[in-house]
Amino acid sequence: MKRRSDRLQVRLYSLLLFVFISGSLLAQRKVTGTVISAKTNSPLSFATVTVKGTNTATATDANGNFSITVPAGKNVLSISSVGYADRDVTIGSGPVNVALQESTSTLNEIVVTGYTSQKKKDLTGAVSVVNVESMNKLSTGSIENQLQGQAAGVTVTGSGQPGEEPQVVIRGANTFGNNNPLYVVDGVPTGNISDLNPRDIESLQVLKDAGAASIYGARANNGVIIITTKKGKGKATVSYDGYYGTQVVAKGNPYNLLSPQGNADLEWLALKNAGLPTKDAEYGSGATPVLPDYIFPVGAHNGDASVDPSLYYVNPDYTDPNDPTTFYRITQANKTGTDWFHEVNKNAPIQNHNLTVSGGTENGHYLFGLNYLDQEGTVIYTFEKRFSIRANTQFNIGKHIRVGENLSYTVTNNPQITAIQEGGTIGYSYREEPIIPIYDIKGNFAGNFGTTLGNSLNPYATAYRTRNNKGLNARLFGNVFADVDIIRGLTLHTSFGGENYSGYYHNFSYPTYENTENTTTNTYSEGSDWGYNWTWTNTLTFHRVFGKHDVQLLVGTEAYDENNEDVGGGTTNYFSFDPNYTTLSSGSGTPTNYSGRSYLSLWSQFAKLDYQFNGKYLLSATIRRDGSSKFTQNQKFGYFPSVTAGWRISQENFMKDISWITDLKIRGGWGVMGNQLNLGGDNQYATYNQDKNASFYDINGSNNTIVQGFRVGQIPNPFAKWEKDNNSNIGLDATLFKNKVDIVVDYYQKNIQDLLFNPALPGTAGNGTVPFVNIGSMKDNGLDLGINTHWDLTHDLRLDAGITLTTVKNTITHITDQADYFYTPDGRRFGQDFIINQVGHPINQFYGYKIAGFFNTQGDIDAADASARKITGNSNAVYETDEGVGRFKYVDVNGDGVINSDDRTFLGSALPKFTYGITLGLTYKNFDFSSFFYGSQGNKIWDQVKYWTDLYPTFTGAKSLSALNDSWTPTHMNAANPEVDYNGYFSTTTQPTSYYVENGSYLRAKYMILGYTFDKDLLNKVGITSFRVYVQATNLFTITKYPGVDPEISSNGNQGQRIVDMGVDEGAYPHTKQFIFGVNVKF
Amino acid sequence: MKLRIIIPAALVSAGVLLFSCKKDFLIHTPQGSLSADVLASPSGVNGLLIGAYAALDGQDVGNGTPWSSSVSNWIWGSVVGTDASKGSYSGDQQQMNEIFNYSASTANSFFDDKWKACYEGISRCNNTLSVLPKVTGLSDADAKNIEAQAKFLRGHYYFELKRMFNMVPWIDETTTDYNQPNTDDIWPKIEADFQFAADNLPETQADAGRANKWAAVCYLGKTLLYEHKFADAKTQFDNAIANGETAKGVKYGLFTNFEDNWRPEDEAISPEAVFPVEMAANVGTNSIDNANYGDMLNFPYGSSPFGCCGFFQPRIDLVNSYRTDANGLPYLDNYNDHAVKNDQGILSADPFTPDAGNLDPRLDWTAGRRGLPFHDWGIHPGADWIRDQAYAGPYADKKDIYWQATPQYHDAASWAPGSAINYLVIRFADVLLMDAECDAQTGDLTSAENLVNQVRNRAANKSGWLYKYKDDSKPLDGFSTTPAANYVVNPYPAGYFNSKDIALKAIYFERKLELAMEGHRFFDLVRWGIAEQTINDFIGFERPLNNDILPSAHYQSPKNDYFPIPQSEIDLTTVNGAKTLTQNPGY
């Protein structure tokens, strides 16, 4: 027995059963015994011992001992325990000692759902029960990352950056805004589990449909993930799990970039194609470009007077913004080319150590855990160091009261970079030209200052300058609880829990001098955020069995209160950049500061009825009423009902003879779930506010001061109410071939209405904060499939295999009464948004011109124009602006003969059609092998890296081999890129087009593990209970057609925008291969 | 066993307690902001008015780029009006490319940026006007002053919209439905706002940045001029020229030196600042949002001391316009036949000698040229300071450039420079030339000639010319007495304006020379009705010289005379399939 609620139920059952039979005791005898695990030889506590053919039952104590009174005429005991196969034993003369084999059946597994727990076979809602052991095998500090592919219905998209929170979406898109599920950890709801130690998890369930989740009402719409942390049990145990490994950066030329000479050759080709003279200050003016010996002074050669080192002057720590005008920089050309990618991506170690002390007696149990995670990122100066402790205890006060607590305290230091954008360490690593060295002749940073080599920044310098930045986040999370058995069958549970967090950072921005676009000021900023939230839950559970009727009724209340504050400031003009010197007080510039506060509270009442008839017919109904401070008095409360039913067909007589069916259940349900994450607390209020940048003005004409002014803040919407998800689900659970095969399959349909969305107001309404209104709607449907199989191939060889499959079809059904679309505000360098969300289509559709091919000849152009003239009746019509030979011909989508903005069309969605996970495990004697594969199919990627590297006229910078070798020429018409040109055109580079859209499907070997467990007998002699060693390879290979560095592309948008802004690759932080050695020891 | 009762009892009591305060439990009032009631006070309504001024620079009033809504209209007035190229490279800010090639789609976000910025300004004026009647404790005079300032500003924002988009919806302090059609010509309403301001604003104000009566008179005149009501406009301009003064009481006139208009240290004594938009640098925000944020791109590039970003380069056609003949007069028709020598295609390392011919000295305060002093930053080296000569030509913006000797007017808080140089929506030279235009249109050619010559005489004032450095290697040591180029400029000889056509031609040309790069040119060309001819001639001349003008570039009247109503605004105001806004013809 693992969990409080499990024990509670079992004990309640036994109590009830005792009472029922107490009147009929005759010639009875007392039998004692011990129950142990056949695998570990350790005692099993809370195993149920029943006298077969009666209702007499008891449970074993902490040492596995039991004592039971057996009525006359009975001589067989049934022993059962969760996770073990049931066993019947005949009572002999002495004590009954039973060893239970571990069970492959999960039917009797107790699953914690909303506020109660149920046996898996009795579930009527859609619940993914995750195999925590399999999940924990992925070497990452993040539970969310581990969840990828492990649960049908859950889609996780992340990156290779340590500590970066991936996007977790349950069953498609649930809202235009924040799709984060609600996490409930040991009964405490929270929005964030990123710092929770994965090794602390005992069980993880995903509540996917309204039947399972709508007991969480207003916060259930994005799905609910229920996490229970580990508890102590049995005799005192010390266990250590640890691993150490290396993350290996991919070799080669991941961005496929040209050499310095190649870049120069490409420029010459562009100039020639445009009819311009071939001339560049760096490369001279000959027929072929010549690489200079020095890039600064521009184009200088060895021996030139201008490169005399005595002229050199650079003060990297300058404090006067005008100082750089006096610098004399000398920078040699790196003719062989700087490999910027590998200058900022380095192999990095990862280690994780987990120490747990746990145990339990009949008076209570305890678990103390320590965890240290230290993962360096492969991009330099990124890492996650995390230290956490956990203390879970419970005390039994008498027979009817149990009190306890679950607490974790985590300290995290996790500097991250923003990826998937043109700037920053990664963006600069594919933009900075390779002819630029890292350092100039005197060891200061080199860059493109004063050169004709573009405007990228030195990526190594960019990263290096963050080295002294510091930050620390701390979080205390947990709860205290009490269970009281008031009368028979009636239990009160109260839990008070929540979190108290604080975060802190300080950054110093060094002035730069090596780039064309420099920051000439030095700035220090420091800030902190802190807050707390608490949830107080009270429930009363009544559970009784009346003959064939099993009734469980739950009523409860829950209050939630949240407080967040932040404060910070900055100053400029530091006399010294010594990190020991720079504080907010030691700068000489004008200090700036900020602070903010936000509050939220919720108040809820709920009830749930679970009814079973004869173990065959299952019915469950829930209702929740939620109130939120985000809404006005009239809209404050929302009601969220659900009804589900199940039918265990296998219990029917007509099925009982089908031997290969162990258990078969069909179930279905309907319900309503709510959401209010998207809107802020001020949505209902009309406010004015001030902003020094936006509403202050130098009315005095002082040139250096500004006077306070006001502007509209929030435009109010007093009518906003809950988002409502009408959710139906039909599912089938089957256990076949004597527990060898488990199948869970669900089909769902969601009609999400009253979506809270802040549609742009017309400009005439001014620029106040647009309120959220209940206007949009969308629907999702899909199939979740989970299959697990276990085969004992020989006596020593066991095969475990499983698959999860998640399919999603999302369709927007309404946006606003005005518009049937909105763009995701992400224009990149096009200056026009290229992600559309339109009625009748899934969210997050790439949108632009579809390329039909190249204009290969003037004849192609003439034919297109002739057709345009015929269709339009305009003798001057041209088919396409700036059409030209070797340029793209776009598809005339609307057939009006000419290309204009009405011909933009849907180019595919970043949402995968389906995702899947495959586990394969083999156990042979002491060896165990396990592997896990994850795949995503049908998702498109907008490859914005191509914009920078494959097209010459976009921006001067590093370009790709493809640009030089696979651009259109009269002899290479089957090309990837348009003709190399000096200028960008409507028909080449200035528009968002299908050129950028790539197939993002992939299959990745997430992990492969080979382990060896030492023989127990040997170990026991030295006091070790178990000892296992393993080696692991993570992300060993990825099968994909995507040419970029990583096909898994999340989003760098904020939580509220990620779902509509995912899949744009502008330099991802790639997942890297990891090679790991680990041990598991138990004393 | 007692605990079995006590704990539930305690919990129930606590629950009841919580329930009883539940009403407050579920209410949280906004933090860090104000309600409208709080602002209904004299200082509150003044704060709302300051907010309306704060929208003038076009910054932080929408979600667009800083430059698309810049008050200087450098894109809309100057780049589209052929004063300048976009600059930089093809790929940079490429949504501008289709704008200056006259083929922009209605979905181009730059249009909506400007639209929204203006309506946010209008919204702030309207909020001031709607709160004002609720304020107690204001004198009638102060209340009138606030109302008149708010209406003046509203007039300005609508004026901007009107000349950009022509037909736009009218929103005032009484409007509750923002889906208003653009069927009515709003000129009369703009006139009414400026008239009210002219009638009610005081002649001087406590603060230099506030609009005064004379600013309103001039803006009313400008409005009437745009409506081709030349006689009415002339009345306003004549009045302002005769009696006008700045908000700080400086009598209207021309600065002694042309370049003083871009010197923050001289702003307070400027006789020319009819309606300044006040810019402030280093105000303690660690941002340049109050410091010409919208013009941050417009500084020389490469190894220049400015860092970013090489936009807004004067066109070769513009520079050629400053050629003067032996009499110091411009070549009104064929200035491009007397082209100014430039360093296009010549590397900085290769030799170049600047043009030695006759030039109007205003050129060298308007365009940075190779070989000449670039303020006190040193000799402009040509290509090394230009981001991409082949793309956008050899010249650099100059009116936006701060001086090395006055670093306090340079704001380095961002990746590109900010400055404290005010933008003058109307400066007095503009008023003189607008009045001259009215005179020419109404037949008073002598007066027109005199007004133009006032402007030319200022240009001819030698103290305002650009001189060579004393020492080219020490630009901060100051200037010598040797002019930087061969400046020859003279007023038109008496009687030169012998016909309306010649007068208008000379006036139009004078506006080009005097007000170049100040965001006026395109709107002037359109109201003169010569945009199509002038711009297509320009394209024919300039296209072979610069790569940024595409083969497809072609200006078409009346389509290109106004920018399209932003597509997103049409979409957002469509109700049940019926469009509220009508698109401009040709789009």
Side-chain angles (χ1 to χ4, degrees), chain A residues 203-435:
Chain A
S203 74
L204 188 149
Q205 274 79 243
V206 185
L207 313 185
K208 300 184 289 190
D209 74 338
S214 73
I215 189 75
Y216 288 101
R219 294 191 280 174
N221 185 33
N222 293 341
V224 180
I225 294 182
I226 306 276
I227 293 171
T228 311
T229 59
K230 283 178 179 160
K231 312 285 183 271
K233 61 181 178 236
K235 66 170 187 167
T237 317
V238 178
S239 64
Y240 167 80
D241 292 310
Y243 60 78
Y244 182 89
T246 306
Q247 305 161 88
V248 180
V249 176
K251 292 194 171 60
N253 185 357
Y255 296 120
N256 199 29
L257 297 176
L258 285 165
S259 66
Q261 186 65 48
N263 272 301
D265 292 344
L266 181 67
E267 179 176 340
W268 251 237
L269 181 60
L271 290 166
K272 278 180 197 157
N273 287 348
L276 293 167
T278 49
K279 187 181 264 193
D280 186 294
E282 295 287 4
Y283 308 134
S285 53
T288 54
V290 177
L291 297 185
D293 295 325
Y294 290 83
I295 57 168
F296 200 85
V298 177
H301 289 275
N302 290 329
D304 287 1
S306 64
V307 299
D308 177 356
S310 67
L311 296 169
Y312 179 93
Y313 170 65
V314 167
N315 171 17
D317 292 340
Y318 68 95
T319 54
D320 177 348
N322 286 325
D323 249 14
T325 61
T326 66
F327 288 2
Y328 194 94
R329 303 163 177 86
I330 304 176
T331 307
Q332 280 188 303
N334 184 352
K335 295 185 191 181
T336 55
T338 305
D339 181 356
W340 289 110
F341 180 86
H342 288 101
E343 295 298 343
V344 298
N345 286 273
K346 300 286 183 193
N347 291 357
I350 177 173
Q351 57 180 314
N352 190 20
H353 305 282
N354 209 63
L355 188 69
T356 310
V357 181
S358 65
T361 67
E362 60 198 357
N363 296 323
H365 56 76
Y366 59 91
L367 179 143
F368 296 104
L370 272 176
N371 176 245
Y372 176 68
L373 167 76
D374 184 354
Q375 181 180 10
E376 275 186 33
T378 46
V379 174
I380 55 175
Y381 302 110
T382 62
F383 60 84
E384 181 179 24
K385 284 182 206 275
R386 192 172 75 192
F387 179 77
S388 58
I389 54 177
R390 167 165 294 280
N392 289 357
T393 54
Q394 182 183 309
F395 304 99
N396 303 338
I397 304 170
K399 288 183 173 173
H400 302 290
I401 299 171
R402 295 161 298 281
V403 296
E405 55 76 37
N406 304 290
L407 275 181
S408 69
Y409 182 70
T410 309
V411 181
T412 311
N413 184 3
N414 181 210
Q416 296 186 19
I417 56 164
T418 307
I420 331 185
Q421 60 174 11
E422 63 177 72
T425 305
I426 293 178
Y428 297 137
S429 74
Y430 61 77
R431 290 181 53 206
E432 184 84 332
E433 292 215 14
I435 194 172

Side-chain angles (χ1 to χ4, degrees), chain B residues 246-308:
Chain B
T246 66
K248 293 305 278 182
V250 180
K251 172 111 183 66
Y252 280 167
L254 293 173
F255 253 133
T256 312
N257 299 331
F258 180 67
E259 56 112 347
D260 289 343
N261 281 299
W262 298 279
R263 293 276 207 166
E265 60 269 42
D266 293 335
E267 282 165 4
I269 54 161
S270 170
E272 215 165 332
V274 174
F275 179 39
V277 173
E278 300 289 345
M279 300 294 178
N282 307 307
V283 295
T285 54
N286 281 340
S287 69
I288 63 162
D289 296 51
N290 289 289
N292 280 298
Y293 191 24
D295 295 358
M296 70 192 298
L297 305 179
N298 304 346
F299 293 82
Y301 202 70
S303 56
S304 84
F306 307 101
C308 219

